Amino acid sequence: MASTITKSLFKHLISSSPKPPVSRLFSTATAQNRTQKLERIADELLDLTKLERYDYSILFRLKTGINRYGLAVSGVTSPASSAPGSGAAETKAAEKTAFDIKLEKFDAAVKIKIIKEVRSFTDLGLKEAKDLVEKVPVVVKKGVTKEDAEAIIKKLQELGAIAVLE
């Protein structure tokens, strides 16, 4: 019973639906051309190798101004403003705010002091800190502000270690 009501309601909706405007009837040729063009582009993209598709996706994102996190800050760029090297200049102009501390070398005599110091500015346990220090050269802390990183590096250098800011 419910299916007959649904069928009759469906037939009523179809028969009472408005007819497309006349201008739409004449534009089917352009719609078919657009569809054929899109199908041709899709076929060409599918013929690419994985590496070529990856390169294409990067190129497409660059040309449309879309980066990994969404639209670029400046919006969609025009072809004139997307000159080679302009993106690299913008990245270099942005100042780095998060730094990594890399422990490059230390004297074996001060190994225990270095481990204690690494534990003081990380949340590592004794074994984890020891394993980390023994893997020299290694990044011991990531994403630190410049002031904090310089203070930590100074402490490590006072103990006899060679640490750098990356």
Side-chain angles (χ1 to χ4, degrees), residues 52-154:
E52 290 170 332
R53 280 190 298 236
Y54 176 75
D55 290 342
Y56 171 76
S57 69
I58 292 172
L59 178 66
F60 183 77
R61 280 187 259 139
L62 287 173
K63 291 217 179 233
T64 57
I66 300 172
N67 63 12
R68 188 179 207 171
Y69 307 106
L71 287 177
V73 175
S74 62
V76 178
T77 60
S78 66
S81 68
S82 63
S86 66
E90 291 174 9
T91 339
K92 289 179 184 175
E95 190 174 330
K96 191 173 180 181
T97 57
F99 297 90
D100 298 339
I101 301 170
K102 184 176 183 180
L103 181 64
E104 290 192 340
K105 194 192 306 185
F106 62 90
D107 292 330
V110 294
K111 181 177 178 180
I112 295 172
K113 292 179 182 178
I114 301 291
I115 293 171
K116 286 181 182 180
E117 187 61 35
V118 168
R119 285 189 66 204
S120 71
F121 62 82
T122 61
D123 294 330
L124 298 175
L126 182 61
K127 182 178 181 344
E128 292 86 7
K130 179 181 176 276
D131 292 341
L132 184 67
V133 168
E134 289 176 345
K135 292 179 184 175
V136 170
V138 66
V139 175
V140 291
K141 184 87 172 172
K142 293 183 180 181
V144 183
T145 63
K146 189 171 185 172
E147 295 81 24
D148 293 340
E150 288 174 349
I152 292 170
I153 288 174
K154 185 178 178 185

Side-chain angles (χ1 to χ4, degrees), residues 22-39:
V22 176
S23 62
R24 204 163 182 210
L25 293 173
F26 292 113
S27 66
T28 57
T30 57
Q32 287 176 350
N33 287 341
R34 282 193 305 246
T35 304
Q36 289 173 353
K37 181 180 178 182
L38 292 175
E39 285 182 18

